[in-house]
Amino acid sequence: MEINLQELRQSFQKFGYIAEDDVIMTVYWALKLGKPLLVEGEPGVGKTEIAKVLSSIFDAELIRLQCYEGLDEGRALYEWNYQRQLLKIHLHKECATDGIEKDLFAPEYLLERPLLKAITASERPVLLIDEIDKTDEQFEAFLFELLSDFQVTIPEWGTIKAKHIPIVVLTSNHDRDLSDGLRRRCVYLYIDYPSLQKETLILETKVPGIGAKLAHEIAAALQFIRQVPEFEKKPAISESLDWARALVSLGADSLDGTAVNKTLGLIFKQGDDLKHFREKVGSEQLCAKVKECKCSKGEARG
C-alpha cells in the first residue's frame, strides 16, 4: 500500500497522533525509501506510539521486540525447541531409524522470535525494536544484515529473505550512543518534549471530558516543571495524559494546590524529584506560575 505525504498526515491525525510537519516528513521518507526509522528522545514523548500508529494506518501486524540488557540472538531471532528435539532423538533410538539430523531441524522444531517472525510474515508487518539502546554493540552488529538486506541467516537452513519488507521502527532513549553502522542504516528522527501549543492540543484530543482551560493549565504547569534543572526525571506526554485523566476524574476544571497535591505521584516518578518539588517549588507556587502565563488559550494554539 503506497501512501502520499498528505494521506500520511491525515492518517496520523485520524489515529490521534499529534505531530509536527518535520515528524510526518521524516516518517514519510522512511516509508518511501523502505528504510528503518530510528526514533530518539526522552522516555514518554511518543516514540513507540509511532510504530503503533503505522500498524493502524496500514492495518499491519505489530511485531515488537522489547530490548533489554543481555538480549541475545536466540531471544531476538529464533531458538530450537530442545525438549522436542530430545524427544525425537529418543524415539529414533527406539525405532532405529535413519535421517534424524535432517528431521531435528525441521520447521516444527523452530521457535520463532520477533525478528524471524517479521521476516517470514505472510503480509507486511510493522517491526518495532523498542529501546535498542539497552542492548550492546554486539547485538547492534547482529542487526545489520536484517536492517540492510532484510534477511537473516539460520546456519541449519541458510539465508532467509523477507517475504515482504517490514516497516521497521527502532526507538532509543539515548541511554548510550548507538553505533555509526546502525545510524547509517536508518532514517533518523528526534522527538523532543512538546511545545505548550502541542501539549494542549494532545490533551484536548486524548482526554475525554477535559476543558480547554484545564488542558492549557496542565500543559503550562508541565512546561514550567521541565525547565527546573534539579528534576532528574522530567514528566513527558505519558505523565501529562495520566495527570489530566486524574484531574478530570476529580472534577477539576482548573489547577489548584489541593488538586495538585492529590496527584503528585502521577507527575513525579523519583523520590528525590518529589522531595525537591515539595521543598523548593510547592503546589501553590506551581499554580501561581501557571496563572502568570500570559498565553491565552487562543495564543497557545498559535
Side-chain angles (χ1 to χ4, degrees):
M1 172 184 171
E2 294 292 333
I3 189 169
N4 61 41
L5 184 60
Q6 184 59 27
E7 290 171 337
L8 185 65
R9 182 180 292 108
Q10 293 172 350
S11 295
F12 265 72
Q13 293 174 352
K14 174 184 176 182
F15 289 103
Y17 193 99
I18 311 301
E20 297 88 344
D21 284 344
D22 63 325
V23 173
I24 299 297
M25 181 64 73
T26 305
V27 174
Y28 172 75
W29 284 123
L31 294 172
K32 185 73 173 177
L33 299 175
K35 294 177 70 68
L37 175 69
L38 172 60
V39 190
E40 277 193 323
E42 295 294 328
V45 295
K47 303 184 298 296
T48 300
E49 194 67 21
I50 288 180
K52 295 179 180 179
V53 170
L54 289 173
S55 174
S56 298
I57 290 174
F58 293 99
D59 192 23
E61 179 184 6
L62 177 63
I63 300 173
R64 181 172 184 167
L65 175 62
Q66 181 61 54
C67 298
Y68 54 87
E69 186 177 350
L71 177 65
D72 59 15
E73 179 179 337
R75 293 294 180 181
L77 183 57
Y78 73 94
E79 288 183 299
W80 292 107
N81 190 328
Y82 296 117
Q83 290 182 331
R84 289 193 63 186
Q85 287 176 325
L86 288 173
L87 180 60
K88 183 72 170 180
I89 293 171
H90 180 70
L91 292 174
H92 270 267
K93 286 181 178 179
E94 288 186 348
C95 300
T97 56
D98 298 326
I100 186 172
E101 292 83 359
K102 181 178 180 181
D103 290 344
L104 284 177
F105 298 105
E108 59 263 30
Y109 295 103
L110 190 70
L111 300 175
E112 288 187 343
R113 300 308 183 196
L115 298 183
L116 183 59
K117 186 178 180 182
I119 289 293
T120 59
S122 58
E123 296 182 357
R124 182 173 69 161
V126 174
L127 172 61
L128 169 61
I129 303 176
D130 210 11
E131 297 185 317
I132 183 63
D133 53 321
K134 292 188 181 301
T135 65
D136 55 26
E137 290 191 8
Q138 183 178 356
F139 186 79
E140 281 187 41
F142 156 69
L143 289 177
F144 290 172
E145 181 183 20
L146 173 71
L147 299 180
S148 296
D149 303 319
F150 295 101
Q151 64 182 32
V152 295
T153 300
I154 298 178
E156 297 82 3
W157 289 6
T159 299
I160 302 175
K161 292 184 177 292
K163 294 181 179 179
H164 302 277
I165 294 178
I167 297 170
V168 182
V169 178
L170 302 94
T171 72
S172 168
N173 296 331
H174 203 38
D175 286 345
R176 69 169 180 84
D177 288 333
L178 301 177
S179 67
D180 291 340
L182 181 70
R183 292 182 180 277
R184 282 197 304 269
R185 287 165 169 82
C186 302
V187 174
Y188 181 75
L189 173 64
Y190 182 82
I191 299 181
D192 204 347
Y193 290 116
S195 64
L196 176 63
Q197 174 187 356
K198 178 181 177 180
E199 192 155 15
T200 301
L201 183 56
I202 289 172
L203 293 174
E204 291 179 342
T205 302
K206 293 278 193 178
V207 182
I210 193 169
K213 180 181 179 182
L214 179 60
H216 174 70
E217 291 185 353
I218 291 172
L222 290 173
Q223 293 286 319
F224 170 75
I225 290 171
R226 292 181 191 127
Q227 293 171 9
V228 178
E230 289 81 6
F231 291 139
E232 183 177 346
K233 186 183 184 307
K234 302 182 188 303
I237 298 174
S238 54
E239 285 79 24
S240 176
L241 291 170
D242 287 343
W243 191 27
R245 293 180 184 120
L247 291 170
V248 169
S249 71
L250 288 175
D253 56 11
S254 65
L255 281 184
D256 60 54
T258 300
V260 172
N261 283 329
K262 289 180 178 179
T263 53
L264 286 176
L266 297 168
I267 309 170
F268 299 103
K269 303 299 175 68
Q270 300 271 10
D272 288 343
D273 289 346
L274 188 57
K275 180 180 179 181
H276 180 81
F277 176 81
R278 285 172 170 160
E279 293 179 352
K280 303 297 183 181
V281 180
S283 299
E284 297 299 334
Q285 182 180 343
L286 176 65
C287 293
K289 289 289 183 181
V290 170
K291 304 303 181 186
E292 290 173 6
C293 180
K294 296 180 180 179
C295 297
S296 67
K297 177 187 164 212
E299 289 171 336
R301 290 185 175 182

